[in-house]
Amino acid sequence: MVVECITNNLPSMPHPAKHGTKEDKEDEPLVFDASLLRYEHNLPKQFIWPDEEKPCLNPPELVVPLVDLRGFLSGDPVAAMETSKLVSEACRKHGFFLVVNHGIDSRLISHAHRFMDDFFELPLSQKQRAQRKTGEHCGYASSFTSRFSSKLPWKETLSFQFSADKNSQNLVKDYLCEKVGHEFEQFGMVYQEYCEAMSNLSLVIMELLGMSLGVGRTCFREFFDKNNSIMRLNYYPPCQKPDLTLGTGPHCDPTSLTILHQDKVGGLQVYVDNEWHSITPNFNAFVVNIGDTFMALSNGRYKSCLHRAVVNSQTTRKSLAFFLCPGDDKVVTPPSELVDHVSPRIYPDFTWPMLLEFTQKHYRADMNTLEQFANWVQRNKS
């Protein structure tokens, strides 16, 4: 989830701070300090969502396909075909599936969750050393209060770039040390290693997606081989009125593929068959979902699915999200095998930086991002 999202039109941007009377104080920019707001029973109005978008009680659980990668990774051709078929069914229906026996060291996953506390439990002033700047997608964000003025998410995030280019082997570590301080060098090393593992896993999944679409194992793997991706640490503090707000609003990911690891606290929900469903946490599995960029790359055959995150009043929820993105120079255009008179081209050619710019500067991402972006590209061409 590269950007924070809604399902309506763009909200107005926050007004500059005013000083003076008590009434003027209400117009000052809101600061999301989780160490204080987690105990607040009167939620600031900016966090209260419209009734039709508020969380629903006890949503049904979504039965998500469990994709076992052991046979595929061992080179078993029968297992590969069965696995690709399972992935295809999930991606055509709703775009979500779980992967197990993925080969990622469980200790690395545990460390990645544990080190999140080292950052997010810092005083707000120290976290703000890594503050995300306007128009950028990397850095620390406390509920995006500097960017939006309504339907704010109840969360903090830390986002950073990852590059699979061999000339950028320490990009994550160097960025985090620069922004947070050299005392966080081990912190940076953990997430550098985690991103490398996620990049490798995403390429394996791309092989499966290529097989399932009939374009071959190497087609998408080669396209994403030198990916320029985004890693995000999500931290959802407790909320005393969880029925009024959302941790992340309803949206489809603008990126290509999301590999999410949840802790043991539930909160992820997916919109399928006209209702919200929960996805039960499984610490041994990664949640994988298709994003808008891959939906365009597949010429609409695989779906980018609407999802959101809810919060609770008792326990902090954490998740690790790796957003696979193609290299900046890669043109997103579907393979010729996926275009014919029955399935003509749906979306125009574009590059990932174009879509990223659109979501950062022109549009607050929602379930219609790809359609709106395609219209924007066409208008700019004319």
Side-chain angles (χ1 to χ4, degrees):
M1 291 155 276
V2 174
V3 290
E4 189 47 44
C5 319
I6 58 171
T7 54
N8 295 340
N9 296 327
L10 277 169
S12 59
M13 296 299 290
H15 297 292
K18 296 179 180 180
H19 302 281
T21 67
K22 181 177 179 181
E23 289 75 14
D24 288 338
K25 295 292 185 181
E26 295 182 0
D27 292 325
E28 291 185 3
L30 177 67
V31 175
F32 183 79
D33 188 342
S35 66
L36 301 176
L37 285 175
R38 66 193 301 154
Y39 303 110
E40 181 61 61
H41 286 266
N42 296 316
L43 269 57
K45 63 182 180 180
Q46 295 93 329
F47 292 98
I48 299 176
W49 285 65
D51 289 344
E52 65 273 14
E53 296 183 74
K54 286 187 173 78
C56 48
L57 294 175
N58 303 315
E61 182 180 352
L62 181 66
V63 180
V64 185
L66 195 64
V67 177
D68 190 332
L69 294 181
R70 177 176 290 148
F72 181 76
L73 292 172
S74 68
D76 183 340
V78 175
M81 290 303 298
E82 292 176 349
T83 303
S84 66
K85 182 180 179 181
L86 198 59
V87 166
S88 176
E89 291 172 354
C91 292
R92 291 179 190 276
K93 184 175 182 180
H94 49 60
F96 269 80
F97 55 94
L98 301 179
V99 295
V100 294
N101 294 319
H102 38 66
I104 308 300
D105 190 335
S106 60
R107 292 171 297 179
L108 175 60
I109 298 171
S110 296
H111 288 161
H113 277 280
R114 180 169 58 83
F115 272 86
M116 287 179 69
D117 293 332
D118 288 356
F119 176 79
F120 287 107
E121 291 182 3
L122 289 171
L124 179 62
S125 60
Q126 293 186 45
K127 289 182 283 191
Q128 288 176 328
R129 291 183 296 180
Q131 187 72 43
R132 181 191 299 195
K133 297 179 181 177
T134 303
E136 296 184 357
H137 63 279
C138 290
Y140 168 71
S142 54
S143 184
F144 303 101
T145 54
S146 64
R147 191 176 173 201
F148 305 121
S149 60
S150 64
K151 299 204 283 190
L152 293 178
W154 194 267
K155 71 174 179 179
E156 300 174 89
T157 63
L158 180 63
S159 307
F160 38 92
Q161 198 81 25
F162 168 80
S163 174
D165 191 305
K166 293 182 179 179
N167 294 322
S168 304
Q169 291 183 340
N170 294 313
L171 181 65
V172 172
K173 179 177 73 69
D174 292 346
Y175 173 82
L176 292 173
C177 285
E178 176 190 350
K179 291 294 183 180
V180 190
H182 285 282
E183 65 270 26
F184 277 77
E185 184 174 4
Q186 188 178 3
F187 177 90
M189 291 173 63
V190 166
Y191 292 113
Q192 180 74 52
E193 185 180 355
Y194 186 86
C195 285
E196 291 167 0
M198 291 301 99
S199 177
N200 291 333
L201 178 58
S202 68
L203 296 181
V204 170
I205 295 170
M206 281 297 155
E207 288 187 36
L208 277 172
L209 292 173
M211 291 178 62
S212 68
L213 283 166
V215 299
R217 291 179 65 150
T218 62
C219 179
F220 297 132
R221 183 187 178 97
E222 291 176 352
F223 186 81
F224 289 98
D225 184 51
K226 289 183 171 58
N227 63 84
N228 194 14
S229 299
I230 299 167
M231 181 72 207
R232 174 167 295 169
L233 314 181
N234 294 308
Y235 202 80
Y236 303 92
C239 175
Q240 297 306 311
K241 293 294 180 66
D243 56 320
L244 299 181
T245 191
L246 290 171
T248 300
H251 69 288
C252 298
D253 293 341
T255 46
S256 299
L257 187 80
T258 302
I259 303 180
L260 180 80
H261 195 274
Q262 304 187 82
D263 63 7
K264 297 178 182 179
V265 181
L268 177 62
Q269 296 185 351
V270 182
Y271 197 72
V272 179
D273 296 331
N274 297 316
E275 66 176 331
W276 289 104
H277 296 72
S278 64
I279 294 185
T280 302
N282 180 343
F283 204 77
N284 296 318
F286 287 99
V287 182
V288 179
N289 69 272
I290 300 297
D292 286 341
T293 300
F294 193 84
M295 184 173 173
L297 195 58
S298 71
N299 200 31
R301 299 197 184 194
Y302 284 178
K303 307 303 180 185
S304 179
C305 189
L306 189 66
H307 56 284
R308 68 184 185 183
V310 300
V311 294
N312 68 83
S313 62
Q314 301 294 324
T315 310
T316 296
R317 175 177 178 261
K318 297 180 288 184
S319 68
L320 304 157
F322 182 83
F323 302 105
L324 179 70
C325 311
D328 291 355
D329 61 339
K330 292 289 188 180
V331 177
V332 178
T333 187
S336 58
E337 296 93 329
L338 303 181
V339 181
D340 53 36
H341 69 282
V342 178
S343 302
R345 282 289 299 275
I346 301 176
Y347 308 104
D349 286 354
F350 64 91
T351 61
W352 164 242
M354 292 169 61
L355 179 52
L356 180 61
E357 177 192 358
F358 180 70
T359 59
Q360 293 298 306
K361 298 181 180 179
H362 305 288
Y363 192 79
R364 189 177 180 183
D366 60 14
M367 63 185 297
N368 300 310
T369 301
L370 187 56
E371 179 182 350
Q372 295 297 325
F373 171 68
N375 293 336
W376 181 74
V377 170
Q378 297 287 15
R379 286 197 303 270
N380 285 345
K381 284 183 177 180
S382 59

